[in-house]
Amino acid sequence: MRQEWLQVQELNLLYPIIMNEIKAIIIDDEHGCVDTLSLLLSEYHKDIKVLATANSVETGLESIRKHNGNIDVLFLDIQMPGGDGFTLLQQLEDISFKIVFTTAYDRFALKAIKYAAFDYLLKPIDNDELTETLTRVRDQHQHSSVPVNQFIQFKNALRQKTVFDKLAIPTLSDILFIPIADILYLNSDNNYTTIHLSNKQQILSSKNLGYYEDVLDEQSFFRVHNSYIVNIRKIAKFIKGKASYVEIENGLRIEVSMRRRNSLLEILGL
């Protein structure tokens, strides 16, 4: 690994000669992270030209639209003021560049992959990992163009984020893979999550409920209460009243918090 990294560094001075510059934009609300990535690029990857940096969804959209058609790679943070990286991408009219997500939270990795990311870098960004990513960026930039249908594929990924039919569930002793369609509901168990299946099996996961809220498709699963996420396809009845409840297929009634009630009704088309 070290030898390969040194070889890449030796080629850095030749990149502007043997291939076109690769133009990048960095969007991250943490100035220190922007500075660190910019420094790594300027010192070790001299063929990468940073066109602009931004620190929010709003300013990020402005930068992308300003340089539209001239961007090769976007380094995009996930959690930012005014939304997140996924929200930003949904507002774009066209995507002709490679997306490299950057975040301090590895729980977003699966969601990033589902959003058709070119790659994913965990903060603090390691230059060896950055080098591996940029090596692939250079290879594709030099030998092929971005597919014309990438934007269509990306939009389809946004509409159908659950592209896998199984969910990986980390437990204290192993990782289980279960069909997503078999999940009835999930409930918080302190820092853990209990997952209830249609066959009455219960699985205790070492991840908290927030993790599953992030990785599960919000059009199929909804957090009805601070302690519960339900599979919308398993809802048999919505019960109105001073307190609202959903009744799922096994007959269990789960309270719907007042602040989540309208959002759930909207998803249910009511």
Side-chain angles (χ1 to χ4, degrees), residues 167 169-170 186 193 205 207-216:
L167 178 67
I169 302 178
L186 307 88
T193 299
S205 171
K207 297 291 188 179
N208 63 29
L209 198 63
Y211 169 84
Y212 290 104
E213 185 178 19
D214 289 327
V215 301
L216 288 169

Side-chain angles (χ1 to χ4, degrees), residues 229-254:
I229 294 175
V230 300
N231 185 340
I232 294 173
R233 292 180 174 83
K234 302 296 184 180
I235 295 176
K237 187 186 299 184
F238 181 86
I239 302 167
K240 302 177 182 179
K242 202 167 187 180
S244 300
Y245 296 85
V246 289
E247 183 176 300
I248 55 180
E249 290 179 359
N250 66 352
L252 178 70
R253 292 186 177 184
I254 300 175

Side-chain angles (χ1 to χ4, degrees), residues 9-170:
Q9 309 320 311
E10 291 171 358
L11 287 173
N12 272 330
L13 292 176
L14 296 177
Y15 275 128
I17 299 173
I18 64 175
M19 64 185 297
N20 295 330
E21 280 186 326
I22 294 175
K23 301 175 181 65
I25 284 182
I26 302 172
I27 303 176
D28 195 316
D29 66 317
E30 299 180 59
H31 294 291
C33 293
V34 173
D35 292 343
T36 297
L37 180 53
S38 298
L39 183 61
L40 288 173
L41 293 175
S42 65
E43 287 194 358
Y44 301 106
H45 309 279
K46 299 185 183 300
D47 58 316
I48 310 296
K49 179 180 180 181
V50 178
L51 299 175
T53 63
N55 59 9
S56 69
V57 170
E58 182 180 359
T59 58
L61 284 170
E62 291 175 0
S63 295
I64 292 172
R65 286 168 177 158
K66 177 181 178 181
H67 297 281
N68 185 35
N70 200 33
I71 307 167
D72 297 309
V73 58
L74 172 66
F75 293 97
L76 180 62
D77 188 19
I78 292 181
Q79 291 186 312
M80 294 181 292
D84 57 28
F86 307 122
T87 303
L88 180 149
L89 292 171
Q90 292 184 70
Q91 297 182 58
L92 294 176
E93 296 78 21
D94 189 20
I95 298 174
S96 58
F97 45 79
K98 297 171 181 63
I99 304 160
V100 177
F101 282 109
T102 61
T103 182
Y105 302 96
D106 60 359
R107 65 180 183 175
F108 290 111
L110 179 58
K111 194 169 184 178
I113 292 169
K114 291 178 181 179
Y115 272 77
F118 178 81
D119 209 344
Y120 176 90
L121 294 171
L122 189 62
K123 297 178 184 176
I125 294 175
D126 176 78
N127 191 49
D128 286 347
E129 294 181 2
L130 176 62
T131 296
E132 291 179 5
T133 296
L134 291 177
T135 298
R136 293 197 299 116
V137 169
R138 292 179 181 111
D139 183 63
Q140 291 195 18
H141 184 70
Q142 188 173 20
H143 297 105
S144 64
S145 58
V146 177
V148 175
N149 66 346
Q150 177 177 319
F151 182 60
I152 297 174
Q153 292 173 346
F154 180 81
K155 284 296 185 181
N156 286 338
L158 293 180
R159 289 194 294 268
Q160 300 175 347
K161 289 183 286 299
T162 305
V163 296
F164 307 110
D165 58 2
K166 289 191 176 183
L167 178 67
I169 302 178

